[in-house]
């Protein structure tokens, strides 16, 4: 399964990608947000890995991404 297909099939992964790109562009414009971005990125990756291992549901990860910007 291709990466783009996985983004379409898994709403948490799709939302993660959108949020990641948005925050990444904000950091490019304002370097002072880099620490905040790195912290979010680390937490998001932990959530995604938890989902892949079956510890978290797709909905739990999706809701976390929506509520943590």
């Amino acid at each position: 399964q291709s990466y783009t297909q996985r983004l379409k099939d898994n709403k948490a992964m799709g939302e993660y990608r959108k949020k990641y790109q948005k925050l990444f562009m904000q950091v490019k414009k304002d370097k002072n947000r880099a620490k905040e971005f790195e912290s979010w990125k680390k937490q998001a990756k932990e959530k995604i890995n938890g989902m892949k291992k079956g510890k978290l549901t797709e909905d739990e990860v999706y809701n976390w991404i929506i509520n943590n910007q």
Side-chain angles (χ1 to χ4, degrees):
Q1 190 176 33
S2 72
Y3 179 72
T4 53
Q5 188 62 42
R6 275 185 283 153
L7 293 180
K8 290 178 186 175
D9 293 346
N10 185 317
K11 69 180 181 179
M13 290 295 293
E15 192 61 35
Y16 165 78
R17 183 69 183 151
K18 282 190 255 179
K19 190 75 64 176
Y20 180 95
Q21 288 177 323
K22 178 183 173 185
L23 294 173
F24 184 78
M25 290 310 294
Q26 289 175 354
V27 168
K28 282 186 99 46
K29 292 178 183 178
D30 180 7
K31 301 290 185 199
N32 294 326
R33 298 193 71 186
K35 283 186 180 180
E36 178 185 332
F37 172 67
E38 289 300 321
S39 175
W40 179 87
K41 183 172 73 170
K42 181 180 178 184
Q43 291 175 32
K45 277 294 189 183
E46 288 172 358
K47 300 287 183 187
I48 295 220
N49 287 336
M51 179 181 66
K52 288 179 179 177
K53 292 177 182 175
K55 295 178 181 177
L56 296 170
T57 66
E58 182 180 333
D59 287 335
E60 288 173 324
V61 175
Y62 176 81
N63 289 330
W64 182 89
I65 292 169
I66 294 295
N67 294 318
N68 291 278
Q69 299 184 23

